[in-house]
Amino acid sequence: MAEARRLYPDFDITRSWALPDVPPLPDEDLGRYLTRLGFSEAQLQYTRRSYGNATGEALPFISAEAALAEMRDTTGGQGDYRILDGYDSVYTHLARGLDIRLNTPVTRIEWSPDGARIITEQASFEAEAVVITVPLGALQAGVIEFAPALPESKQQAIRSLKMGPGIKLVYRFAEPFAAPETMALYSALNPPMWWTPAFGHGTGEVVWTAFCTGDWARELLAQGEEGALMKALDTLRTEFSRPDLRPVDMHLVNWPADPYVMGGYSVTPPGQVAARAELARPVANRLFWAGEATASLPHVATVHGAYLSGERAAQEVLAAR
Ligand SMILES: Cc1cc2nc3c(=O)[nH]c(=O)nc-3n(C[C@H](O)[C@H](O)[C@H](O)COP(=O)(O)OP(=O)(O)OC[C@H]3O[C@@H](n4cnc5c(N)ncnc54)[C@H](O)[C@@H]3O)c2cc1C
């Protein structure tokens, strides 16, 4: 977006409003909070499509307190950067020298004050300590059995947070149809958010991607894969007044249906801000917790949040030893 603004001074896709310093109520959701501040229906609609959609859920499921902490955060950096070698180069770098077993799902973790045993579909491992980084959705679905069961406070934290349903719909076309300076759009239809990832690459590929969460994702997923792709395509056709648009290829990325993810990323529901710290809290100095859902509030649901939570968990393990 920053690059688009530099290249096109008239670029005007995003709106923002300075919020007055009115503290949210502890269990207030973002929609009720903004309504209390006097947001118009048009402003709320825009917030649903932009901030709400990107946060992973409909406004009634988003804690106003958590949202404000994120909006007012100044520690996350300002810029967006593209990793030229692809995102996997981050993981390749971080994994150097580590013994990583792929395709080895953990099914059970036995733990006691003396140590832990991790049972996978292939083998079992003895450990002094375990750092659990599976997504919140996997924890909520109970894909890993804990023996003994996790303390009630930990189970409560797992239940209290929400895994927002996040999906992407990707279309490839043979011919360009948008003005060359059009990089992204917010639609009043479903999906609300579209962009062309090929923008600025000069590859000649014509690819448009939609991203949606919350009620938009639920509505599309209810129509099955083919139905979701066709309904979203109708939105693109309407937005560009091109009823004849036909992709040469299309694909739905359905994270809620992925048994190793089960959603997009975690959302803090109203009144559940404290659940983040509880989820992150070590159990008996044997079970440690990392991953985006355990990150500190302004960084949840992000890659850098997941990274920072891993550093925090590593420090906790070292301190426990
Ligand atoms: C569409 C979309 C767009 C996003 N955009 C951005 C963005 O622009 N910027 C940003 O910062 N963040 C973004 N995010 C969020 C970011 O991707 C996540 O916050 C981050 O990847 C979470 O990292 P993690 O390590 O906590 O979890 P994950 O990356 O989900 O890693 C968890 C791992 O656990 C594994 N696992 C699951 N179950 C088991 C099991 N039983 N045994 C063993 N392993 C298991 C999974 O296979 C997975 O590899 C986006 C997310 C989505 C879905």
Side-chain angles (χ1 to χ4, degrees), residues 5-309:
R5 283 203 188 89
R6 190 180 66 75
L7 289 173
Y8 304 104
D10 293 338
F11 178 81
D12 184 22
I13 191 171
T14 56
R15 310 264 190 285
S16 59
W17 297 280
L19 298 180
D21 198 11
V22 176
L25 305 173
D27 60 353
E28 199 166 27
D29 72 67
L30 187 58
R32 280 194 294 144
Y33 174 72
L34 295 176
T35 304
R36 186 156 68 85
L37 294 189
F39 260 47
S40 67
E41 182 48 34
Q43 284 175 303
L44 284 171
Q45 194 55 264
Y46 182 82
T47 309
R48 283 183 199 110
R49 275 184 234 141
S50 53
Y51 184 84
N53 187 51
T55 302
E57 254 300 356
L59 298 193
F61 295 111
I62 299 173
S63 152
E65 185 183 350
L68 284 187
E70 194 225 352
M71 287 177 207
R72 297 206 160 122
D73 174 58
T74 54
T75 61
Q78 295 298 321
D80 290 328
Y81 300 93
R82 177 174 284 165
I83 299 163
L84 295 178
D85 293 338
Y87 225 129
D88 58 339
S89 57
V90 174
Y91 301 104
T92 308
H93 172 75
L94 291 174
R96 275 181 316 169
L98 298 179
D99 175 13
I100 298 203
R101 314 284 171 101
L102 298 175
N103 300 312
T104 311
V106 176
T107 52
R108 182 177 162 92
I109 296 176
E110 295 167 0
W111 59 279
S112 76
D114 302 323
R117 192 156 170 260
I118 300 109
I119 294 145
T120 75
E121 287 178 4
Q122 288 78 11
S124 64
F125 304 88
E126 305 293 328
E128 248 180 75
V130 190
V131 181
I132 297 145
T133 71
V134 297
L136 175 69
L139 289 174
Q140 290 179 328
V143 295
I144 299 177
E145 186 189 356
F146 289 89
L150 293 171
E152 178 51 31
S153 57
K154 182 70 74 182
Q155 294 188 41
Q156 175 71 36
I158 291 169
R159 283 194 299 267
S160 301
L161 298 168
K162 199 168 188 331
M163 195 69 169
I167 61 172
K168 260 186 185 172
L169 305 102
V170 187
Y171 302 83
R172 192 159 62 81
F173 297 88
E175 302 287 338
F177 54 87
E181 68 272 22
T182 307
M183 184 193 114
L185 63 92
Y186 284 123
S187 173
L189 305 170
N190 187 7
M193 184 186 181
W194 290 84
W195 71 95
T196 171
F199 186 89
H201 277 281
T203 59
E205 293 282 347
V206 185
V207 177
W208 278 83
T209 302
F211 171 58
C212 67
T213 64
D215 293 337
W216 290 290
R218 282 186 277 271
E219 184 190 293
L220 290 180
L221 289 175
Q223 310 195 26
E225 180 167 344
E226 184 72 16
L229 284 162
M230 292 315 291
K231 181 158 174 53
L233 179 62
D234 274 345
T235 294
L236 199 64
R237 288 171 170 158
T238 304
E239 288 295 343
F240 284 96
S241 304
R242 285 284 306 269
D244 59 317
L245 275 184
R246 300 226 183 290
V248 290
D249 208 357
M250 53 186 181
H251 181 59
L252 169 72
V253 188
N254 187 351
W255 281 288
D258 183 325
Y260 298 108
V261 188
M262 296 187 172
Y265 34 82
S266 67
V267 176
T268 316
Q272 301 301 340
V273 165
R276 298 282 184 187
E278 187 53 45
L279 185 62
R281 199 183 311 283
V283 174
N285 271 343
R286 294 293 166 196
L287 305 183
F288 298 84
W289 305 79
E292 61 83 12
T294 73
S296 62
L297 202 50
H299 306 306
V300 297
T302 65
V303 172
H304 56 275
Y307 177 84
L308 292 171
S309 75

